[in-house]
Amino acid sequence: YKDMYRKAEYAMKHQKSYDANPVGMQRPAYDKSIEALYPVVSDEMPVLFEAEKVKDISRVLALHKELGFQPILANVKQGWHHLNMIKEKNIPVVLSLDIPASEEKDEKKKKDDDQEDMDPAKKAMMERRDKAISDYQSQAATFVKEGLEISFTAKDLKSKDFKKNLAAMMEQG
């Protein structure tokens, strides 16, 4: 992506120079894939990146910092780790409604009763899992509380999970 962006920057400058005064200049090469990035290079159009996980978001933020284009983070599942940077840069976010399923309350109560006899390592693992599920479910509330506007996508979501996941997110704020 960096290479294409840099080529588009150079090609756009060359095209403008050629259009202004073609005398003594080589005619610009036409490459539709490079020309398609002209609006991005000139800050007229944002780029939508599918960035589900923390590492994906980190890569987009690094590209944004280095190249300066306007990104949109889409299908975000683990955005709370980069909340401050997203807020600082005012980057639009499209959160995923595809969140991990939480256990039913009756099953959880039964497991809580069994946790007294459980191995400490397994108990710690279950607590981390429950925390992670809670983070996924409360992500939208966290973004809104920080003053960020968000939208949602149902990409990768099974239609039967739509209402259940939306309700879980609403319960978390």
Side-chain angles (χ1 to χ4, degrees):
Y1 189 80
K2 288 181 201 178
D3 186 47
M4 284 188 69
Y5 187 89
R6 297 283 186 220
K7 284 180 181 178
E9 268 183 329
Y10 175 75
M12 191 171 84
K13 286 179 187 174
H14 184 73
Q15 181 70 48
K16 284 182 180 180
S17 295
Y18 184 82
D19 291 345
N21 186 9
V23 176
M25 292 185 72
Q26 184 177 0
R27 178 184 290 275
Y30 293 101
D31 183 350
K32 291 188 186 274
S33 62
I34 296 297
E35 288 178 19
L37 288 175
Y38 287 2
V40 173
V41 170
S42 60
D43 254 355
E44 297 170 15
M45 180 187 296
V47 181
L48 186 120
F49 284 93
E50 187 169 333
E52 295 181 12
K53 301 189 184 293
V54 175
K55 197 171 193 175
D56 302 331
I57 297 169
S58 295
R59 288 178 178 147
V60 173
L61 293 174
L63 279 173
H64 169 65
K65 183 178 180 181
E66 183 177 337
L67 302 175
F69 62 88
Q70 303 169 8
I72 297 174
L73 299 173
N75 204 27
V76 174
K77 295 180 181 179
Q78 299 175 344
W80 62 90
H81 296 285
H82 293 291
L83 180 64
N84 292 334
M85 181 67 78
I86 292 169
K87 183 178 179 180
E88 178 185 318
K89 301 292 183 183
N90 198 25
I91 298 173
V93 178
V94 182
L95 296 177
S96 176
L97 285 172
D98 185 21
I99 58 175
S102 59
E103 297 180 20
E104 295 300 321
K105 292 183 178 170
D106 294 336
E107 289 179 32
K108 189 170 182 174
K109 186 175 188 246
K110 182 181 173 192
K111 286 187 179 183
D112 286 343
D113 294 339
D114 294 340
Q115 279 188 358
E116 294 173 6
D117 303 332
M118 193 180 302
D119 177 41
K122 187 173 181 180
K123 186 175 180 179
M125 182 197 67
M126 290 179 73
E127 288 171 359
R128 284 192 311 271
R129 183 203 62 209
D130 292 343
K131 169 80 168 94
I133 290 172
S134 175
D135 287 343
Y136 275 95
Q137 292 175 348
S138 65
Q139 178 172 234
T142 304
F143 274 63
V144 171
K145 286 176 188 170
E146 288 294 322
L148 293 166
E149 290 187 22
I150 58 171
S151 55
F152 294 101
T153 180
K155 184 180 183 298
D156 303 328
L157 181 69
K158 295 176 185 164
S159 58
K160 67 180 180 78
D161 293 336
F162 182 83
K163 286 183 182 178
K164 178 182 69 160
N165 289 359
L166 194 57
M169 292 174 97
M170 288 172 67
E171 284 177 15
Q172 294 290 330

